[in-house]
């Protein structure tokens, strides 16, 4: 399972069939697969063929806490035509009333009385980002008041007034709708499975293809930027370009940090079935390690072992080591990777230090006296890396630590779904602000190295990250907002 220093985006799942189906257990399985995207809360909602609610359940916590064994057993045989699920990390909304923002968000339409539900991955632009009502709640409220003779018209009209990052699953009495913003910032795709009980196919959508795989979906299709896809009375989905596709701004951080290694990578694409030939996230991370080895190598005689931090940096660490002919060994492992992914993720970042140490096992015998290279996917707030460096030095007795980071410094806030709200939360942004933006990239890297107390520190350049993702170091189709100043790799 994946671990990392902050949570990013939300996980969404939806399903539609022309018949009523038992989808609760499958939906929860798919949602659990992508709960690394955030676990402030989770929920599910379902509508029968006649548009009446069959299930409406959500709560604070992880997926299997909300959909625990007793609940799933009692409700597993419930049948519905459309299903929708979400696991959330809140980028905004009142932290004292988190229940109000947990999705799916269920509303009656003001004029028709139709019950509908919304699950959102990303973040709508808002003039009051840290206000008491989340951006997703505001969107659901606007959709409830929307004009139009059909749900397609109402959704299209409401979306026309929105800006920001959004992949949406919306279910109504007319079926399931998928929508993606015109820049393609956040991922969304769907596939088809077979339901033995009804003898009919089921259309399944999710924000990561690994979730589609565990739910049995095949024939993957990507919702392209600006598209609306409607699954309704017609046997095949209807795709409409409701907004003109704009210059691609696919989130470059998606493949660095989120997503399972067996998910298709989130990359700029122009054809809906192109996703089936895409690299997997693990392949992108492997290439990141290989490019890192070229940009900031470590001499064989200066290192005993390379260690990738579980779990998003393991593949990249192996790529780095193999490229340089260095020994790789997993001397730091997850305590419980299957049942407790990202156990040190919490809104109170001051507690992360202790949780990091509880979340990892360390092979202290092999680490003692070793010269190690730590490879991580990113350094964001510096809580995780700081805890690791201190523990390895003071408790495990390593001789030296070199650090290699598989993306540029995260310097700026993101208003597109990442849970960073101020530069002061970010170690690179904090140092950059304190210098009044006077530091060079090399000086910034050196300042972070000094805070860590490690032998050397190097970040993958933005050009190197692009090369790992698409093969083109000058690819301009990505959003790099969080990496405010394009950063060259620096070795100190």
């Amino acid at each position: 399972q994946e671990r990392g220093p902050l949570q990013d985006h939300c996980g969404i799942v939806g399903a539609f069939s022309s018949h009523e189906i038992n989808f609760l257990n499958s939906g929860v399985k798919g949602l659990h697969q992508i709960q690394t995207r955030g676990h402030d809360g989770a929920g599910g909602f379902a509508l029968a063929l006649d548009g009446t609610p069959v299930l409406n359940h959500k709560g604070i916590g992880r997926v299997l806490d909300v959909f625990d064994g007793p609940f799933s057993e009692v409700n597993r045989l419930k049948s519905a035509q459309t299903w929708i699920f979400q696991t959330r990390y809140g980028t905004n909304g009142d932290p004292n009333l988190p229940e109000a923002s947990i999705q799916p968000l269920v509303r009656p339409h003001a004029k028709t009385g139709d019950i509908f539900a919304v699950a959102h991955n990303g973040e709508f632009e808002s003039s009051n980002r840290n206000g008491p009502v989340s951006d997703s709640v505001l969107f659901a409220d606007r959709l409830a008041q929307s004009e139009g003779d059909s749900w397609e018209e109402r959704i299209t009209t409401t979306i026309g007034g929105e800006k920001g990052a959004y992949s949406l699953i919306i279910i109504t009495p007319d079926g399931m709708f998928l929508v993606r913003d015109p820049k393609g910032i956040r991922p969304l795709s769907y596939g088809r499975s077979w339901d033995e009980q009804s003898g009919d196919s089921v259309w399944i959508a999710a924000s990561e293809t690994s979730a589609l795989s565990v739910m049995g979906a095949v024939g993957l299709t990507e919702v392209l930027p600006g598209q609306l896809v409607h699954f309704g009375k017609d046997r095949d989905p209807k795709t409409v370009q409701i907004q003109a596709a704009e210059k691609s701004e696919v989130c470059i951080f998606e493949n660095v940090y989120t997503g399972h290694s067996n998910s298709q990578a989130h990359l700029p694409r122009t054809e809906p079935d192109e996703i089936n030939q895409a690299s997997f996230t693990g392949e992108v991370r492997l290439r990141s390690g290989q490019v890192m080895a070229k940009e900031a190598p470590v001499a064989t005689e200066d290192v005993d072992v390379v260690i990738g931090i579980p779990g998003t940096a393991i593949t990249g660490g192996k790529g780095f080591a193999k490229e340089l002919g260095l020994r790789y060994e997993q001397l730091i492992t997850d305590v419980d990777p299957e049942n407790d992914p990202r156990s040190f993720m919490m809104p109170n970042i001051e507690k992360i230090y202790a949780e990091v140490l509880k979340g990892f096992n360390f092979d202290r015998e092999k680490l003692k006296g070793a010269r190690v290279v730590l490879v991580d996917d990113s350094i964001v707030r510096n809580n995780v890396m700081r805890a690791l460096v201190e523990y390895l030095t003071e408790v495990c007795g390593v001789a030296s630590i070199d650090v290699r980071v598989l993306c540029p410094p995260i310097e700026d806030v993101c208003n597109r779904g990442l849970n960073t709200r101020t530069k002061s939360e970010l170690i690179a942004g904090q140092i950059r602000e304190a210098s009044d933006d006077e530091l060079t990239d090399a000086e910034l890297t050196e300042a972070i190295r000094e805070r860590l107390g490690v032998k050397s520190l190097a970040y993958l350049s933005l050009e190197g990250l692009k090369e790992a993702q698409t093969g083109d170091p000058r690819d301009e189709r990505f959003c790099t907002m969080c990496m405010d100043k394009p950063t060259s790799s620096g070795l100190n």
Side-chain angles (χ1 to χ4, degrees):
Q1 295 285 341
E2 309 286 358
R3 287 186 182 271
L6 84 167
Q7 288 166 308
D8 183 20
H9 330 307
C10 297
I12 57 178
V13 168
F16 171 84
S17 176
S18 58
H19 296 80
E20 293 191 344
I21 55 171
N22 307 130
F23 193 75
L24 177 61
N25 287 347
S26 292
V28 170
K29 185 178 180 180
L31 198 65
H32 183 251
Q33 174 75 4
I34 54 177
Q35 80 163 352
T36 53
R37 302 177 76 87
H39 40 63
D40 272 1
F45 181 77
L47 288 173
L49 278 164
D50 63 2
T52 59
V54 172
L55 179 136
N56 188 5
H57 178 72
K58 54 187 177 181
I60 298 171
R62 298 165 185 262
V63 171
L64 296 186
D65 293 331
V66 176
F67 297 97
D68 59 18
F71 175 85
S72 295
E73 181 61 28
V74 169
N75 292 279
R76 66 185 177 86
L77 296 181
K78 285 188 174 178
S79 295
Q81 182 180 35
T82 50
W83 296 78
I84 188 171
F85 301 86
Q86 201 234 33
T87 181
R88 180 178 189 267
Y89 190 95
T91 53
N92 56 43
D94 190 343
N96 297 314
L97 295 170
E99 297 92 340
S101 298
I102 296 174
Q103 300 180 37
L105 300 168
V106 181
R107 300 285 188 275
H109 188 263
K111 291 187 177 180
T112 67
D114 287 352
I115 302 297
F116 69 93
V118 175
H120 174 211
N121 172 23
E123 185 173 351
F124 294 107
E125 286 187 9
S126 173
S127 59
N128 186 13
R129 189 182 189 215
N130 295 320
V133 183
S134 82
D135 60 312
S136 304
V137 169
L138 292 173
F139 171 79
D141 290 343
R142 286 191 287 270
L143 184 55
Q145 299 293 327
S146 60
E147 299 291 336
D149 295 329
S150 68
W151 273 106
E152 182 179 313
E153 289 182 22
R154 294 167 199 141
I155 293 169
T156 301
T157 299
T158 307
I159 285 293
E162 302 294 342
K163 294 183 179 179
Y166 47 90
S167 286
L168 295 161
I169 301 177
I170 302 169
I171 66 170
T172 79
D174 286 348
M176 179 172 72
F177 296 82
L178 312 180
V179 184
R180 194 163 168 221
D181 73 71
K183 297 179 184 294
I185 299 167
R186 296 285 169 236
L188 186 61
S189 53
Y190 61 92
R192 200 173 194 170
S193 70
W194 184 258
D195 180 62
E196 292 290 346
Q197 185 177 6
S198 65
D200 200 358
S201 57
V202 180
W203 293 101
I204 306 174
S207 47
E208 283 186 44
T209 63
S210 64
L212 295 175
S213 296
V214 301
M215 292 184 290
V218 296
L220 303 186
T221 303
E222 184 170 34
V223 181
L224 295 180
Q227 285 187 344
L228 176 148
V229 182
H230 178 202
F231 304 83
K233 61 183 179 180
D234 295 331
R235 187 163 185 84
D236 294 321
K238 174 187 176 184
T239 300
V240 181
Q241 193 75 35
I242 62 171
Q243 291 177 295
E246 299 178 10
K247 179 184 178 295
S248 173
E249 293 188 22
V250 166
C251 174
I252 200 168
F253 199 51
E254 180 90 25
N255 300 318
V256 173
Y257 179 72
T258 55
H260 289 255
S261 59
N262 62 344
S263 276
Q264 261 83 9
H266 181 45
L267 299 171
R269 288 181 277 263
T270 57
E271 297 296 330
D273 60 351
E274 199 178 341
I275 192 170
N276 294 287
Q277 288 76 48
S279 296
F280 289 97
T281 306
E283 295 175 273
V284 171
R285 291 172 180 157
L286 178 68
R287 291 195 292 267
S288 295
Q290 293 169 337
V291 176
M292 181 87 258
K294 296 173 184 176
E295 291 189 349
V298 181
T300 307
E301 61 270 18
D302 293 334
V303 62
D304 298 311
V305 62
V306 177
I307 307 169
I309 306 305
T312 46
I314 290 176
T315 306
K318 289 179 178 178
F320 178 83
K322 186 174 182 179
E323 190 74 15
L324 296 172
L326 302 173
R327 171 173 158 253
Y328 183 95
E329 189 170 356
Q330 203 61 53
L331 301 182
I332 303 172
T333 56
D334 272 319
V335 169
D336 189 4
E338 293 302 321
N339 299 315
D340 192 24
R342 290 196 190 189
S343 60
F344 49 83
M345 289 296 90
M346 56 190 63
N348 186 344
I349 61 176
E350 297 304 318
K351 294 183 178 180
I352 292 178
Y353 180 89
E355 293 300 316
V356 167
L357 304 186
K358 289 196 298 185
F360 289 133
N361 286 318
F362 299 84
D363 191 333
R364 291 172 60 179
E365 183 178 349
K366 290 184 178 180
L367 285 166
K368 186 175 181 180
R371 298 167 300 172
V372 305
V373 178
L374 293 181
V375 178
D376 207 355
D377 59 8
S378 57
I379 297 178
V380 181
R381 296 183 175 115
N382 200 33
N383 292 286
V384 176
M385 185 58 72
R386 176 175 61 89
L388 287 171
V389 168
E390 289 185 14
Y391 190 83
L392 290 170
T393 303
E394 298 173 8
V395 178
C396 299
V398 300
S400 66
I401 300 174
D402 295 278
V403 174
R404 297 294 178 267
V405 185
L406 300 179
C407 76
I410 306 301
E411 297 191 39
D412 207 353
V413 298
C414 172
N415 63 6
R416 291 177 162 182
L418 198 65
N419 71 316
T420 55
R421 305 184 189 195
T422 65
K423 281 191 175 184
S424 61
E425 292 181 29
L426 312 170
I427 184 64
Q430 183 186 116
I431 292 173
R432 183 80 78 179
E433 273 194 325
S435 73
D436 294 324
D437 287 338
E438 293 297 321
L439 292 180
T440 65
D441 294 340
E443 289 170 338
L444 174 66
T445 302
E446 173 61 14
I448 297 172
R449 185 201 68 78
E450 288 182 353
R451 288 206 186 183
L452 280 172
V454 295
K455 181 182 175 183
S456 74
L457 168 67
Y459 288 89
L460 186 64
S461 68
L462 185 57
E463 296 79 12
L465 180 57
K466 290 178 178 180
E467 180 182 348
Q469 300 216 17
T470 67
D472 181 2
R474 296 178 178 82
D475 200 320
E476 296 299 321
R477 297 174 296 166
F478 289 99
C479 175
T480 60
M481 178 185 293
C482 58
M483 304 164 191
D484 186 34
K485 295 180 181 295
T487 309
S488 299
S489 61
L491 181 59
N492 296 283

